[in-house]
Amino acid sequence: MSHRRLVASATILAAGISLIPGLAHAADPESGKVLGVSKPDLDSAIRARTTTFDSPADRSVKVPATGKGKAAGTPTASEANPNLAVALQAATFQAKSLRLDMDVTSTVTPVLIDINWGDGSADKANTNGSNSVTTEHVYSEVGTYTVKVTVTDTINQTSAENSVTVTTEGSDFTPYDPTRLLDTRDGTGAPKAKVAPYTSARVKVGGYAAIPAGVTAVALNITVTNTKSGGHVTAFAEGTNRPTTSNLNYEPGQTVPNLVIVPVGANGYVDLYNGGWESVDLIADVTGYFTQSAASGYTAISPDRFVDTRTGLGTLKGQVAGYGTFSTQIAGNRGVPAGAKAVALNVTVTNPRSDGHLTVFPTGKAATTASNLNFSTGQTIANSVIVPVGTDGRISIRNGGWNPADVIVDVVGYYSTDSVSAYLPFDPERVRDTRDSKTPLPGRYYTALGLGEGYPHTKAFVLNTTVTNPKGAGFLAVAPDPNTIADYNNGTDIDVPIPTSSNLNFTANKTVPNLVQAGRGDTGVIDFFNWSDANIDLVIDIFGIYMDN
């Protein structure tokens, strides 16, 4: 395996990706090397997301072979094949795919099988006598479809048909104006009281206001505040087993936000578990939800910086005034199409002159009480954001602090009706924890995970990244790798491009989480860069994938 150095010019580091004031960079460091290259096994997690739909043979209805002359259910003239029937079993897999098993009952005679998939497309198959035939189909949109199968005895011209209604496994996204669903400080959505240690707060999602019942997952910005000890928060669908993974970590006195994309229970609720030994306040703001019906798919893009108030990129140069708001063009700009309904961002605040928060919202709407990230004086902190795009293609950002602050916005993807990738959530799975091997990720090193290798139809990954035990200040950058795992194993890997955006910022001895929606790139290998001069421990959990089939 070759070790490649990542060396950036002083100009790039100063104006492009260095977000930590005063962060020292070693001159021409012997760093930027790979530490750990692996391919996590996601087969079982993907296979577990399947639903079976059955229609037994006794539901078959005899019909005239030509479909003319007699009403459905009227016996045909020929009784040569009186038991002709077909049993159907359909099983969903991946986001939009269906496997159909057809168990034909017939005398020993050629049988033609006509399959109407319910989306305007059809297929044919042939068998002889009683037999089982299996085929697969990929729908262009998620949704519910009625599959009709007609079997015809081509000798005796006797036919029977059966049908089964199926719903694809993947989900599309519908943006929702940022709205507060839970605030234990004032009794919004729950009793006015802190969440006790090792208990959960319930958040009603399905059936709330304009959010329909039956939503499969929801985008929530969760904030923990008024903390008196260390701990973590885990979000999960009510009625399911609580995962062993966490969504955000906190320390005494911290206010910590993090975006989550979490499944919703069958009863419409999400549980937020307080994994600390003291009571905390919890806040949850919704920005969109997923359903198994056609809406907006997802398109990942290489992380691209759209706004940097320090340089005037995307807005006027200069800090955002206290309680000030600015807008920036998203849709119809730099690869994001005019029809984009929502955008996935990484938003960073730096150099704030007082405590405060940022609120990201669609231009043309009023800023809500929902916050996307909270900061303290002098802090550099980032958070993932999913926000609807205004009708003019713009988003607005409000500085909720009483003094100025700099704001940076990186776009990582967008949701639109023309996007083809649907979301497939699964049980959270830990794919990297450097603490297990007692080998921290050194400064200027990166680790590579082949999350998409062997899964060509994956387009992006929903991850929670956590930096813990950092020995200094820096930031984590997540980006696609041009190399395959085989390239690294064979020593044929090429230089990895220097990342031009960051995903989370950290300081010494502080644990910081952030959700990452990482595009697969060309190879399906994703890199996690420790852009600092100090060791860190890195924890990576995967919560789901976007797929185009």
Coordinates of all heavy atoms in Angstrom, one line a residue, residues 102-157:
M102 N -43.6 -17.1 -9.0 CA -44.9 -17.6 -9.6 C -45.0 -19.1 -9.6 O -44.2 -19.7 -10.3 CB -45.1 -17.0 -11.0 CG -45.1 -15.5 -11.0 SD -44.9 -14.8 -12.7 CE -43.1 -15.2 -13.0
D103 N -45.8 -19.6 -8.8 CA -46.0 -21.1 -8.6 C -47.2 -21.5 -9.5 O -48.3 -21.4 -9.1 CB -46.2 -21.5 -7.2 CG -46.0 -23.0 -6.9 OD1 -45.8 -23.7 -7.9 OD2 -46.2 -23.4 -5.8
V104 N -46.9 -22.1 -10.7 CA -48.0 -22.4 -11.6 C -48.5 -23.8 -11.4 O -47.7 -24.8 -11.2 CB -47.4 -22.3 -13.1 CG1 -48.5 -22.7 -14.1 CG2 -47.0 -20.9 -13.4
T105 N -49.8 -24.0 -11.4 CA -50.4 -25.3 -11.3 C -51.1 -25.6 -12.7 O -51.9 -24.8 -13.1 CB -51.5 -25.4 -10.2 OG1 -50.9 -25.1 -9.0 CG2 -52.1 -26.7 -10.2
S106 N -50.7 -26.7 -13.3 CA -51.2 -26.9 -14.7 C -51.0 -28.4 -15.1 O -50.1 -29.1 -14.5 CB -50.5 -26.0 -15.7 OG -50.9 -26.4 -17.0
T107 N -51.8 -28.9 -16.0 CA -51.5 -30.2 -16.6 C -50.2 -30.0 -17.4 O -49.7 -28.9 -17.6 CB -52.6 -30.6 -17.5 OG1 -52.8 -29.7 -18.5 CG2 -53.9 -30.9 -16.7
V108 N -49.6 -31.1 -17.9 CA -48.4 -31.1 -18.6 C -48.7 -30.5 -20.0 O -49.0 -31.3 -20.9 CB -47.7 -32.4 -18.7 CG1 -46.4 -32.3 -19.5 CG2 -47.5 -33.0 -17.3
T109 N -48.5 -29.2 -20.1 CA -48.8 -28.5 -21.4 C -48.0 -27.2 -21.4 O -47.7 -26.7 -20.3 CB -50.3 -28.3 -21.6 OG1 -50.6 -27.7 -22.8 CG2 -50.8 -27.4 -20.5
P110 N -47.7 -26.7 -22.5 CA -47.0 -25.4 -22.5 C -47.9 -24.3 -21.9 O -49.1 -24.2 -22.2 CB -46.7 -25.1 -24.0 CG -46.7 -26.5 -24.6 CD -47.8 -27.2 -23.9
V111 N -47.2 -23.5 -21.1 CA -48.0 -22.4 -20.4 C -47.2 -21.1 -20.7 O -46.0 -20.9 -20.4 CB -48.1 -22.6 -18.9 CG1 -48.7 -21.4 -18.2 CG2 -48.8 -23.9 -18.6
L112 N -48.0 -20.1 -21.1 CA -47.4 -18.7 -21.3 C -47.8 -17.9 -20.1 O -48.9 -17.9 -19.6 CB -48.0 -18.1 -22.6 CG -47.7 -16.6 -22.8 CD1 -46.2 -16.5 -23.1 CD2 -48.5 -16.1 -24.0
I113 N -46.8 -17.2 -19.6 CA -47.0 -16.3 -18.4 C -46.9 -14.8 -18.8 O -45.8 -14.4 -19.3 CB -46.0 -16.6 -17.3 CG1 -46.0 -18.1 -16.9 CG2 -46.2 -15.7 -16.1 CD1 -44.9 -18.5 -15.9
D114 N -47.9 -14.1 -18.6 CA -47.9 -12.6 -18.9 C -47.9 -11.9 -17.5 O -48.8 -12.1 -16.7 CB -49.2 -12.2 -19.7 CG -49.1 -12.7 -21.1 OD1 -48.3 -12.2 -21.9 OD2 -49.9 -13.6 -21.4
I115 N -46.9 -11.0 -17.4 CA -46.8 -10.2 -16.1 C -47.0 -8.8 -16.4 O -46.3 -8.2 -17.2 CB -45.4 -10.5 -15.5 CG1 -45.0 -11.9 -15.4 CG2 -45.3 -9.8 -14.2 CD1 -43.6 -12.2 -15.2
N116 N -48.0 -8.2 -15.8 CA -48.2 -6.7 -15.8 C -47.7 -6.2 -14.5 O -48.3 -6.4 -13.4 CB -49.7 -6.4 -16.0 CG -50.0 -5.0 -16.2 OD1 -49.3 -4.1 -15.6 ND2 -50.9 -4.6 -17.0
W117 N -46.7 -5.3 -14.5 CA -46.0 -4.9 -13.3 C -46.8 -3.8 -12.6 O -46.4 -3.3 -11.5 CB -44.6 -4.5 -13.5 CG -43.7 -5.6 -13.9 CD1 -43.2 -5.9 -15.2 CD2 -43.2 -6.6 -13.1 NE1 -42.5 -7.0 -15.2 CE2 -42.4 -7.5 -13.9 CE3 -43.4 -6.9 -11.7 CZ2 -41.8 -8.6 -13.4 CZ3 -42.7 -8.0 -11.2 CH2 -41.9 -8.9 -12.0
G118 N -47.8 -3.2 -13.2 CA -48.6 -2.2 -12.6 C -48.0 -0.8 -12.8 O -48.6 0.2 -12.3
D119 N -46.9 -0.6 -13.5 CA -46.3 0.7 -13.8 C -46.3 1.0 -15.3 O -45.6 1.8 -15.7 CB -44.9 0.7 -13.2 CG -44.0 -0.3 -13.9 OD1 -44.5 -1.2 -14.6 OD2 -42.8 -0.2 -13.6
G120 N -47.1 0.2 -16.0 CA -47.1 0.4 -17.5 C -46.2 -0.5 -18.2 O -46.2 -0.4 -19.5
S121 N -45.4 -1.3 -17.5 CA -44.5 -2.2 -18.2 C -45.0 -3.7 -18.0 O -45.8 -4.0 -17.1 CB -43.1 -2.1 -17.7 OG -43.0 -2.4 -16.3
A122 N -44.5 -4.5 -18.9 CA -45.0 -5.9 -18.9 C -43.8 -6.8 -19.3 O -42.9 -6.4 -20.0 CB -46.2 -6.1 -19.8
D123 N -43.9 -8.1 -18.9 CA -42.9 -9.1 -19.3 C -43.6 -10.4 -19.6 O -44.8 -10.6 -19.2 CB -41.9 -9.3 -18.2 CG -40.8 -8.3 -18.1 OD1 -40.3 -7.8 -19.2 OD2 -40.5 -7.8 -17.0
K124 N -42.9 -11.3 -20.3 CA -43.5 -12.6 -20.6 C -42.5 -13.7 -20.1 O -41.3 -13.5 -20.1 CB -43.8 -12.8 -22.0 CG -44.9 -11.9 -22.6 CD -45.2 -12.2 -24.0 CE -46.3 -11.3 -24.6 NZ -47.6 -11.6 -24.0
A125 N -43.0 -14.9 -19.8 CA -42.2 -16.0 -19.5 C -42.9 -17.3 -19.9 O -44.1 -17.2 -20.3 CB -41.9 -16.1 -18.0
N126 N -42.2 -18.4 -20.0 CA -42.8 -19.6 -20.5 C -42.4 -20.8 -19.5 O -41.3 -20.7 -18.9 CB -42.3 -20.0 -21.9 CG -42.9 -19.0 -22.9 OD1 -44.0 -19.2 -23.4 ND2 -42.0 -18.1 -23.3
T127 N -43.3 -21.7 -19.3 CA -43.0 -22.9 -18.6 C -43.8 -24.1 -19.2 O -44.5 -23.9 -20.1 CB -43.3 -22.7 -17.1 OG1 -42.9 -23.8 -16.3 CG2 -44.8 -22.5 -16.9
N128 N -43.7 -25.3 -18.6 CA -44.4 -26.4 -19.1 C -45.0 -27.2 -17.9 O -44.2 -27.6 -17.0 CB -43.4 -27.4 -19.8 CG -44.2 -28.4 -20.6 OD1 -45.0 -28.0 -21.6 ND2 -44.0 -29.7 -20.3
G129 N -46.3 -27.2 -17.8 CA -46.9 -27.9 -16.7 C -46.7 -27.1 -15.4 O -46.4 -25.9 -15.4
S130 N -46.9 -27.8 -14.3 CA -46.7 -27.2 -13.0 C -45.2 -26.9 -12.8 O -44.4 -27.8 -12.9 CB -47.3 -28.1 -11.9 OG -48.7 -28.3 -12.0
N131 N -45.0 -25.7 -12.4 CA -43.6 -25.3 -12.2 C -43.5 -24.0 -11.5 O -44.5 -23.2 -11.3 CB -42.9 -25.1 -13.6 CG -41.4 -25.5 -13.5 OD1 -40.8 -25.5 -12.5 ND2 -40.9 -25.8 -14.7
S132 N -42.4 -23.6 -11.0 CA -42.1 -22.4 -10.3 C -41.2 -21.5 -11.2 O -40.2 -22.0 -11.7 CB -41.5 -22.6 -8.9 OG -42.4 -23.2 -8.0
V133 N -41.6 -20.3 -11.4 CA -40.8 -19.3 -12.2 C -40.6 -18.1 -11.4 O -41.5 -17.6 -10.7 CB -41.6 -19.0 -13.5 CG1 -40.8 -18.0 -14.3 CG2 -41.9 -20.2 -14.3
T134 N -39.3 -17.6 -11.4 CA -39.0 -16.4 -10.6 C -38.4 -15.3 -11.6 O -37.6 -15.7 -12.5 CB -37.9 -16.7 -9.6 OG1 -38.5 -17.7 -8.6 CG2 -37.5 -15.5 -8.8
T135 N -38.8 -14.1 -11.4 CA -38.3 -13.0 -12.1 C -38.2 -11.8 -11.2 O -38.7 -11.8 -10.1 CB -39.2 -12.7 -13.4 OG1 -38.5 -11.8 -14.2 CG2 -40.5 -12.2 -13.0
E136 N -37.5 -10.8 -11.7 CA -37.3 -9.5 -11.0 C -37.7 -8.3 -11.8 O -37.6 -8.3 -13.0 CB -35.8 -9.4 -10.5 CG -35.4 -10.5 -9.5 CD -34.0 -10.4 -9.0 OE1 -33.3 -9.5 -9.6 OE2 -33.6 -11.2 -8.2
H137 N -38.0 -7.2 -11.1 CA -38.3 -6.0 -11.7 C -37.9 -4.8 -10.9 O -37.8 -4.9 -9.7 CB -39.9 -5.9 -11.9 CG -40.3 -4.7 -12.6 ND1 -40.1 -4.5 -14.0 CD2 -41.1 -3.6 -12.2 CE1 -40.6 -3.3 -14.3 NE2 -41.2 -2.8 -13.3
V138 N -37.4 -3.7 -11.6 CA -37.1 -2.5 -10.9 C -38.0 -1.4 -11.3 O -38.2 -1.1 -12.5 CB -35.6 -2.1 -11.2 CG1 -35.2 -0.8 -10.5 CG2 -34.6 -3.2 -10.8
Y139 N -38.7 -0.8 -10.3 CA -39.6 0.3 -10.6 C -38.8 1.6 -10.7 O -37.7 1.8 -10.1 CB -40.6 0.4 -9.5 CG -41.6 -0.7 -9.5 CD1 -41.5 -1.8 -8.6 CD2 -42.7 -0.7 -10.4 CE1 -42.4 -2.8 -8.6 CE2 -43.6 -1.7 -10.4 CZ -43.5 -2.8 -9.5 OH -44.4 -3.8 -9.5
S140 N -39.3 2.5 -11.5 CA -38.6 3.8 -11.7 C -38.9 4.7 -10.5 O -38.1 5.7 -10.3 CB -39.0 4.5 -13.0 OG -40.4 4.7 -13.1
E141 N -40.0 4.5 -9.8 CA -40.4 5.3 -8.7 C -40.8 4.4 -7.5 O -41.3 3.3 -7.7 CB -41.6 6.2 -9.0 CG -41.3 7.3 -10.0 CD -40.6 8.5 -9.4 OE1 -40.3 8.5 -8.2 OE2 -40.4 9.5 -10.2
V142 N -40.5 4.9 -6.3 CA -41.1 4.1 -5.2 C -42.6 4.3 -5.2 O -43.1 5.2 -5.8 CB -40.5 4.7 -3.9 CG1 -39.0 4.5 -3.8 CG2 -40.9 6.1 -3.6
G143 N -43.3 3.4 -4.5 CA -44.7 3.5 -4.5 C -45.4 2.2 -4.3 O -44.8 1.1 -4.1
T144 N -46.7 2.1 -4.4 CA -47.5 0.9 -4.3 C -48.1 0.6 -5.7 O -48.6 1.4 -6.4 CB -48.7 1.2 -3.4 OG1 -48.2 1.5 -2.1 CG2 -49.6 0.0 -3.3
Y145 N -47.9 -0.7 -6.1 CA -48.3 -1.2 -7.4 C -49.0 -2.5 -7.3 O -48.8 -3.3 -6.4 CB -47.0 -1.4 -8.3 CG -46.2 -0.2 -8.4 CD1 -45.1 0.1 -7.6 CD2 -46.4 0.7 -9.5 CE1 -44.4 1.3 -7.7 CE2 -45.6 1.8 -9.7 CZ -44.6 2.1 -8.8 OH -43.8 3.2 -9.0
T146 N -50.0 -2.7 -8.2 CA -50.7 -4.0 -8.3 C -50.1 -4.8 -9.5 O -50.1 -4.4 -10.6 CB -52.2 -3.8 -8.5 OG1 -52.7 -3.1 -7.4 CG2 -52.9 -5.1 -8.7
V147 N -49.5 -5.9 -9.1 CA -48.9 -6.8 -10.1 C -49.9 -7.9 -10.5 O -50.4 -8.6 -9.7 CB -47.6 -7.5 -9.6 CG1 -47.0 -8.4 -10.7 CG2 -46.6 -6.4 -9.1
K148 N -50.2 -8.0 -11.8 CA -51.2 -9.0 -12.3 C -50.5 -10.0 -13.2 O -49.7 -9.6 -14.1 CB -52.3 -8.3 -13.1 CG -53.4 -9.3 -13.5 CD -54.6 -8.6 -14.1 CE -54.3 -8.1 -15.5 NZ -55.6 -7.6 -16.2
V149 N -50.7 -11.3 -12.9 CA -50.1 -12.4 -13.7 C -51.2 -13.2 -14.3 O -52.1 -13.7 -13.6 CB -49.2 -13.2 -12.8 CG1 -48.6 -14.4 -13.6 CG2 -48.0 -12.4 -12.2
T150 N -51.1 -13.4 -15.6 CA -52.0 -14.3 -16.3 C -51.2 -15.5 -16.9 O -50.2 -15.3 -17.6 CB -52.7 -13.5 -17.5 OG1 -53.3 -12.4 -17.0 CG2 -53.7 -14.4 -18.2
V151 N -51.7 -16.7 -16.6 CA -51.1 -17.9 -17.1 C -52.1 -18.5 -18.1 O -53.3 -18.6 -17.9 CB -50.8 -18.9 -16.0 CG1 -49.7 -18.4 -15.1 CG2 -52.0 -19.2 -15.1
T152 N -51.5 -18.9 -19.3 CA -52.4 -19.4 -20.4 C -51.9 -20.7 -20.9 O -50.7 -20.9 -21.2 CB -52.4 -18.4 -21.6 OG1 -52.9 -17.1 -21.1 CG2 -53.3 -18.9 -22.7
D153 N -52.8 -21.7 -20.8 CA -52.5 -23.0 -21.5 C -52.7 -22.8 -23.0 O -53.8 -22.7 -23.5 CB -53.6 -24.0 -20.9 CG -53.5 -25.4 -21.6 OD1 -52.8 -25.5 -22.7 OD2 -54.1 -26.3 -21.1
T154 N -51.5 -22.8 -23.7 CA -51.5 -22.4 -25.1 C -52.1 -23.5 -26.0 O -52.4 -23.2 -27.1 CB -50.1 -22.0 -25.5 OG1 -49.3 -23.2 -25.3 CG2 -49.6 -20.9 -24.8
I155 N -52.2 -24.7 -25.5 CA -52.8 -25.8 -26.2 C -54.3 -25.7 -26.1 O -55.1 -25.8 -27.1 CB -52.3 -27.2 -25.8 CG1 -50.8 -27.2 -26.0 CG2 -53.0 -28.3 -26.6 CD1 -50.3 -27.1 -27.4
N156 N -54.8 -25.6 -24.9 CA -56.3 -25.7 -24.7 C -56.9 -24.3 -24.6 O -58.2 -24.2 -24.4 CB -56.6 -26.5 -23.4 CG -56.1 -27.9 -23.5 OD1 -56.7 -28.7 -24.3 ND2 -55.1 -28.3 -22.7
Q157 N -56.1 -23.3 -24.7 CA -56.6 -21.9 -24.6 C -57.5 -21.6 -23.4 O -58.5 -21.0 -23.4 CB -57.4 -21.6 -25.9 CG -56.6 -21.5 -27.2 CD -55.5 -20.4 -27.0 OE1 -55.9 -19.2 -26.9 NE2 -54.3 -20.7 -27.0

